[in-house]
Amino acid sequence: MGKILVAEDEPQFRNMLIEWLEECGHYVVSADDGEEALKLALLHNDINFIITDLHMKVMDGDFFIRELKKNKAYQDIPVAMLTTETNPLYKERLAAFNVLWVIKPVEKESFMKMIESKVD
């Protein structure tokens, strides 16, 4: 199974995602904002997939992903951007970074199928 980084500032939603992922056998590293997630990503060089919220305090998911993708080790790692945002500007800005745009709320079965199809 994969090693997945989850960056989500809403504790209940973050814990739900972690539970779903661990039930499927994934190892999860979690952060409550993009700044912490960026630090964790640079510490863990074996992350297979990233799940991040778009709007977070300290550092949002947009900036987090653009900064992370500057690192060659993360250029091909898939990302699921979780959001309620409908402004296409965000999606366009992240289109070059292998980002899957996922609108909240998420349904467990379809979300996990999407994860499993992307995790090596």
Side-chain angles (χ1 to χ4, degrees):
M1 294 281 106
K3 186 173 195 177
I4 299 176
L5 172 60
V6 174
E8 169 63 56
D9 61 346
E10 208 304 297
Q12 287 181 310
F13 190 67
R14 182 177 61 245
N15 290 336
M16 180 189 72
L17 292 173
I18 292 168
E19 182 179 311
W20 290 358
L21 294 163
E22 288 178 344
E23 282 176 3
C24 291
H26 298 289
Y27 179 80
V28 180
V29 178
S30 68
D32 60 7
D33 62 59
E35 183 177 75
E36 182 182 0
L38 186 59
K39 290 175 185 175
L40 286 171
L42 298 175
L43 284 173
H44 297 266
N45 61 357
D46 56 347
I47 291 174
N48 304 95
F49 194 87
I50 297 167
I51 300 169
T52 184
D53 188 13
L54 178 59
H55 297 295
M56 295 181 286
K57 300 174 184 132
V58 184
M59 181 187 292
D60 69 11
D62 178 11
F63 191 75
F64 160 54
I65 294 305
R66 287 186 287 122
E67 286 299 304
L68 184 65
K69 292 292 185 164
K70 290 177 183 177
N71 183 316
K72 287 188 180 213
Y74 282 98
Q75 288 178 350
D76 296 326
I77 302 298
V79 175
M81 180 67 71
L82 301 176
T83 186
T84 58
E85 182 64 62
T86 58
N87 183 340
L89 175 64
Y90 290 103
K91 191 173 183 179
E92 290 167 14
R93 234 182 1 219
L94 293 168
F97 297 116
N98 198 16
V99 174
L100 305 163
W101 204 256
V102 180
I103 302 297
K104 292 178 181 179
V106 295
E107 189 274 320
K108 181 180 180 179
E109 187 173 319
S110 60
F111 183 72
M112 292 310 298
K113 281 183 183 178
M114 184 264 309
I115 301 281
E116 297 302 321
S117 74
K118 301 293 181 185
V119 175
D120 295 328

